[in-house]
Amino acid sequence: MRERDAAATAVLMVCDYSLKYLGGAQTAFVRQAEALASEGVPVVVLAPDADVLNHDVGDMDADGSDADAAAAAPHPSTRLITVAPPRRGTIPVLDLPLLGRARDLEPLVATTIRRHGVRAIVVHSEFALAAAALAVGRRLGIPVLHTVHTFFWRAPAALAPFAPVVSGVHSRLTGIRGGDRYTGSHPLNNALRTMTLRIAQRADVVLSPSRHQADALRAAGAGRVEAFSNVAQPLRAAAASRGGPLRLLWVARFAPEKRLEVALDAMRLVVERLGADAVHLDVAGGSHRPVPGVTVHGSVPGERVGELLDAADAALITSLGFDNQPMVALEAFAHGRPVIVSDPVLATEFGDAAIGTGTPDAAGLADLIVRLAADRALLDAPREAALTYARDRQPSAHVARLQELIASARS
């Protein structure tokens, strides 16, 4: 990319979520910011606790921002500036930083844009800071792209009576009171998905890391939606194991929609059929559970996840009807490891890099694991496809496509 082209497209990246905790959305956000900077594009990151990016990448337990956090701070890359808005508290249950209302955040957004010569905005969330960026971008004629990390919000049906509270809080924080409503589920899911939809409808371009979520957003009326993958890590494929047990890795948030119990129940069935030494499952995160053939590692840093992937033959993704593009899949692919998925939609999304179960339950997963344990050669083609998937989503290609999308939004 030529320097003058990069300079003409300084990008403001905005997220309402704290960067102290790197969940899937935050990981995708940070990697995109660093990809842009690595390709010579000036980047300003505006997010709670953005200053943690000024420390070592692995140092994610650093203290949060202080009262002066809204001041811009330089990242070790001279192309990346961080701005952390002051926090006013935390929204319970969601563990979402409380930053105030969108209209109160608009001056900070506008000042940041002017100070750093921003010419494009990419938001990665659906709350007050994102709404402020959308409003300021529209007022200044700056294109705004909205990356949707999950349109498939899912809450227990028993909590449906809280839907008016969720809608009311979102409206008060963002100032958004008009727009389409999602109506395809129970009231609380509808309220949560309406939050995403109404932010999306105010963006010039909506970005979906997966094709299946892009289809759902278009069907809901989100406007122009482009399927645009998250950025993959540089390739670091380790040699596949040739002996010992079949090794699998499960890593995700410990939340009901991730369905860890399906993986654990499948391992119980596998042990009944093959014994305790034929297959081993590593679980990153959580607390110890006495399941034969399973090691629960507790909370682990990112580099340890990489080591576990190198030791594994494949990663497990047991969610069903929830995930968009799980970051663990991109992690696995960059390490040359395919994913075993319970969700047939994800199997289609990832193509030959994924191995789908016959049924989405523990029995279907166990049947597939038993087949793979008997014939490791079944993993050879998916392993090659995983590397191809990650190769096509390296930082240079990602940034080039993002710049094309920004240019199209501007025109």
Side-chain angles (χ1 to χ4, degrees), residues 321-394:
F322 173 78
D323 274 316
N324 163 30
Q325 186 193 54
M327 287 303 293
V328 66
L330 287 180
E331 297 272 359
F333 298 157
H335 285 259
R337 300 299 185 256
V339 292
I340 296 170
V341 296
S342 298
D343 191 334
V345 173
L346 290 182
T348 300
E349 184 72 41
F350 294 132
D352 293 339
I355 308 169
T357 61
T359 57
D361 54 10
L365 178 56
D367 287 344
L368 177 56
I369 292 173
V370 168
R371 290 202 306 276
L372 295 174
D375 186 2
R376 304 282 182 92
L378 295 173
L379 290 165
D380 291 344
R383 188 178 295 117
E384 289 302 316
L387 283 170
T388 299
Y389 190 101
R391 189 176 294 114
D392 292 342
R393 291 156 177 82
Q394 290 298 293

Side-chain angles (χ1 to χ4, degrees), residues 163-179:
V165 175
V166 169
S167 297
V169 169
H170 188 259
S171 179
R172 284 194 293 275
L173 288 176
T174 63
I176 296 173
R177 291 173 173 79

Side-chain angles (χ1 to χ4, degrees), residues 47-68:
D49 305 309
D51 48 337
V52 301
L53 298 184
N54 302 325
H55 306 294
D56 292 337
V57 173
D59 183 18
M60 300 315 299
D61 294 322
D63 291 338
S65 56
D66 58 23
D68 298 321

Side-chain angles (χ1 to χ4, degrees), residues 6-387:
T9 315
V11 177
L12 174 64
M13 294 190 56
V14 179
C15 184
D16 285 90
Y17 302 119
S18 170
L19 299 189
K20 229 184 217 188
Y21 162 70
L22 287 189
Q26 294 97 317
T27 299
F29 176 85
V30 169
R31 289 203 179 139
Q32 184 177 71
E34 294 182 337
L36 285 162
S38 73
E39 291 296 306
V41 179
V43 185
V44 182
V45 170
L46 177 59
D49 305 309
D51 48 337
V52 301
L53 298 184
N54 302 325
H55 306 294
D56 292 337
V57 173
D59 183 18
M60 300 315 299
D61 294 322
D63 291 338
S65 56
D66 58 23
D68 298 321
H75 182 267
S77 165
T78 57
R79 288 281 175 182
L80 199 159
I81 296 293
T82 61
V83 181
R87 298 173 62 148
R88 300 185 180 185
T90 301
I91 298 177
V93 181
L94 293 176
D95 196 27
L96 181 73
L98 183 60
L99 306 175
R101 295 172 298 180
R103 68 184 184 188
D104 299 324
L105 293 166
E106 288 180 16
L108 171 62
V109 174
T111 298
T112 302
I113 288 171
R114 288 192 298 270
R115 180 175 296 161
H116 300 288
V118 167
R119 295 295 179 267
I121 302 171
V122 182
V123 303
H124 281 250
S125 54
E126 293 81 23
F127 300 95
L129 195 56
L134 283 158
V136 174
R138 175 171 292 185
R139 192 159 61 240
L140 298 179
I142 296 174
V144 184
L145 291 74
H146 174 211
T147 298
V148 176
H149 288 289
T150 182
F151 187 50
F152 307 120
W153 296 91
R154 182 181 297 173
L159 298 180
F162 290 95
V165 175
V166 169
S167 297
V169 169
H170 188 259
S171 179
R172 284 194 293 275
L173 288 176
T174 63
I176 296 173
R177 291 173 173 79
D180 292 341
R181 289 183 179 274
Y182 184 86
T183 58
S185 185
H186 67 66
L188 184 51
N189 283 352
N190 291 344
L192 291 167
R193 296 174 195 183
T194 295
M195 294 188 318
T196 299
L197 178 60
R198 288 186 171 179
I199 291 289
Q201 289 179 325
R202 285 158 173 79
D204 295 295
V205 182
V206 179
L207 305 179
S208 170
S210 68
R211 294 185 301 273
H212 68 275
Q213 182 183 253
D215 291 340
L217 285 162
R218 291 188 197 103
R224 178 186 170 188
V225 183
E226 298 282 350
F228 179 58
S229 173
N230 291 315
V231 64
Q233 284 186 305
L235 302 183
R236 55 187 72 186
S241 64
R242 294 298 177 187
L246 177 73
R247 296 194 71 97
L248 305 172
L249 174 65
W250 189 100
V251 51
R253 286 183 298 107
F254 272 54
E257 58 269 18
K258 296 296 186 177
R259 303 201 319 155
L260 172 60
E261 291 302 326
V262 170
L264 299 180
D265 289 344
M267 283 300 298
R268 293 184 180 99
L269 295 173
V270 168
V271 169
E272 287 178 6
R273 293 164 65 175
L274 302 181
D277 299 324
V279 179
H280 190 86
L281 172 64
D282 289 295
V283 176
S287 55
H288 175 69
R289 303 187 187 198
V291 179
V294 176
T295 299
V296 179
H297 293 266
S299 179
V300 296
E303 58 268 22
R304 178 57 178 151
V305 172
E307 293 169 359
L308 291 169
L309 279 168
D310 287 339
D313 293 291
L316 293 185
I317 299 175
T318 46
S319 61
L320 181 63
F322 173 78
D323 274 316
N324 163 30
Q325 186 193 54
M327 287 303 293
V328 66
L330 287 180
E331 297 272 359
F333 298 157
H335 285 259
R337 300 299 185 256
V339 292
I340 296 170
V341 296
S342 298
D343 191 334
V345 173
L346 290 182
T348 300
E349 184 72 41
F350 294 132
D352 293 339
I355 308 169
T357 61
T359 57
D361 54 10
L365 178 56
D367 287 344
L368 177 56
I369 292 173
V370 168
R371 290 202 306 276
L372 295 174
D375 186 2
R376 304 282 182 92
L378 295 173
L379 290 165
D380 291 344
R383 188 178 295 117
E384 289 302 316
L387 283 170

